Amino acid sequence: MSRLIQVFEHDKLTSKSLCSKGEELGDKIIDKLWQYNDSNKNIYFEAIRHGVKFKNFVGVIQIGGTTIEILPKADKLNTASDSEKDIWHKVLLKMLAQCKKIKVNAVSEASLRKRNHSLLDLYFELYLSEVKQLLQKGLIKKYNYKNDNVLALKGRLNFAKNIEQNLIRQERFFTTHQVYDYDHIANQILYKALKVLKTISNNSFLIDTINRLLLDFPEIKEVEIKKAHFDKLISNRKTAAYNEAIKIAKMILLNYSPDIKGGDENMLALLFDINPVLNKIGAY
């Protein structure tokens, strides 16, 4: 069951704080926030009794079925009503759009009007839209070297592996050969991000879209994506159409923390320091 809670920068959030469905946030979520903050040198918030106090970071955190949206707020005197949170939700979107953190104009107006549609869902929707366009245009193929046990001798014979695997099956050859296919790092990144979104999304519409996109994907090996994979990417005229999708995939994959205990508390956090954002858009 999904639930949303919205707070402002520098606000406090405790296990007793109420979510959109009137439920208490709970100790498990606070524990995950503490763990996340510890692993990031305590830069995002400070631990308090049974909770956290946010600093100057805005954005969104999803832990299992719970989404926490941290909104900017210039006027500290107003009450934190739902209508005010809606206003600052839109302000945050405009801020991120102006500093090119998100292309808000690419997200449907219907999505922006949904009361419980979190910033994270908007990122997801934008990513799925970009991937859908790439699939419709046709994904890029590249030449890759592949190690495989094949029936016909092609490429370079790997003598050690061939002896190890084909001492009895002499009709096969273990070779390193060149193939022209979709299984390269750019497509692997797109594919892995889709698989992660399927794991963490609580939105039935988005999950349905993800499943349809996965069915349309060509056969691609699923690999664990690290920062080094993005560093290896070289943007050129041929891959220019991938740029926006890769940018969002990078944010998703490098900020995703799976529940290593095998539970349903997978975590994704997209947080931005509000001060550089304000500097960039001249909002002081």
Side-chain angles (χ1 to χ4, degrees):
M1 182 175 62
S2 61
R3 54 186 188 165
L4 172 69
I5 185 166
Q6 292 176 308
V7 295
F8 291 106
E9 55 173 318
H10 303 295
D11 274 358
K12 295 178 181 179
L13 190 67
T14 72
S15 58
K16 299 294 184 182
S17 298
L18 298 181
C19 300
S20 56
K21 297 183 182 296
E23 301 172 338
E24 291 185 354
L25 189 61
D27 291 326
K28 279 188 177 181
I29 301 299
I30 297 300
D31 286 343
K32 290 288 287 187
L33 290 174
W34 284 344
Q35 292 170 24
Y36 176 73
N37 203 38
D38 286 344
S39 66
N40 287 279
K41 300 180 180 179
N42 301 303
I43 64 171
Y44 295 118
F45 31 78
E46 60 182 83
I48 60 174
R49 185 175 176 83
H50 300 301
V52 296
K53 184 178 187 296
F54 292 99
K55 296 183 181 179
N56 53 301
F57 285 83
V58 296
V60 62
I61 302 170
Q62 181 172 304
I63 304 171
T66 301
T67 301
I68 303 166
E69 210 168 84
I70 305 106
L71 306 173
K73 189 180 181 187
D75 185 357
K76 304 297 182 184
L77 299 177
N78 290 346
T79 59
S81 63
D82 285 347
S83 60
E84 187 185 7
K85 287 177 179 177
D86 282 342
I87 291 170
W88 287 103
H89 174 89
K90 293 172 183 175
V91 169
L92 176 58
L93 287 174
K94 289 180 180 178
M95 284 180 171
L96 297 180
Q98 289 189 39
C99 65
K100 298 182 180 179
K101 297 289 187 182
I102 186 173
K103 291 199 308 183
V104 176
N105 59 335
V107 181
S108 69
E109 286 297 319
S111 295
L112 291 172
R113 286 195 296 268
K114 289 180 182 176
R115 172 68 184 87
N116 289 330
H117 204 151
S118 77
L119 176 64
L120 205 54
D121 280 343
L122 299 184
Y123 266 101
F124 293 171
E125 185 176 328
L126 176 55
Y127 178 69
L128 298 180
S129 174
E130 292 288 335
V131 173
K132 183 179 180 180
Q133 290 179 49
L134 290 173
L135 285 169
Q136 288 173 342
K137 293 176 182 176
L139 296 180
I140 295 170
K141 286 185 176 183
K142 287 187 177 181
Y143 284 104
N144 299 293
Y145 283 99
K146 186 176 182 180
N147 298 310
D148 203 3
N149 215 8
V150 294
L151 290 170
L153 180 59
K154 54 182 178 179
R156 180 169 53 85
L157 184 67
N158 187 321
F159 287 99
K161 281 286 186 180
N162 193 58
I163 293 172
E164 177 187 323
Q165 297 196 17
N166 298 325
L167 192 59
I168 298 175
R169 300 181 301 174
Q170 295 187 4
E171 77 282 2
R172 289 185 173 271
F173 305 90
F174 198 98
T175 67
T176 299
H177 53 276
Q178 200 173 50
V179 294
Y180 186 62
D181 61 11
Y182 296 104
D183 197 14
H184 55 83
I185 186 60
N187 288 336
Q188 289 169 354
I189 287 172
L190 298 184
Y191 182 72
K192 182 62 177 180
L194 283 177
K195 298 287 282 188
V196 167
L197 291 193
K198 184 177 178 179
T199 301
I200 62 178
S201 179
N202 301 306
N203 185 308
S204 58
F205 170 76
L206 294 182
I207 292 173
D208 180 64
T209 303
I210 292 166
N211 286 331
R212 285 188 278 110
L213 291 176
L214 286 172
L215 285 174
D216 290 338
F217 244 77
E219 186 176 347
I220 289 175
K221 179 172 56 180
E222 183 177 353
V223 298
E224 290 301 315
I225 302 296
K226 307 293 184 183
K227 183 178 181 297
H229 291 96
F230 291 97
D231 294 339
K232 292 177 183 177
L233 287 175
I234 299 175
S235 181
N236 53 41
R237 183 174 56 83
K238 191 176 180 181
T239 62
Y242 276 62
N243 288 348
E244 189 65 25
I246 291 292
K247 183 173 74 173
I248 304 172
K250 183 177 183 179
M251 296 183 70
I252 293 169
L253 294 173
L254 298 188
N255 290 284
Y256 171 62
S257 303
D259 190 337
I260 58 175
K261 295 181 180 179
D264 58 357
E265 301 299 325
N266 298 314
M267 181 173 180
L268 179 64
L270 299 180
L271 299 173
F272 310 96
D273 187 343
I274 191 64
N275 294 325
V277 173
L278 292 175
N279 284 334
K280 193 161 188 177
I281 65 176
Y284 277 123

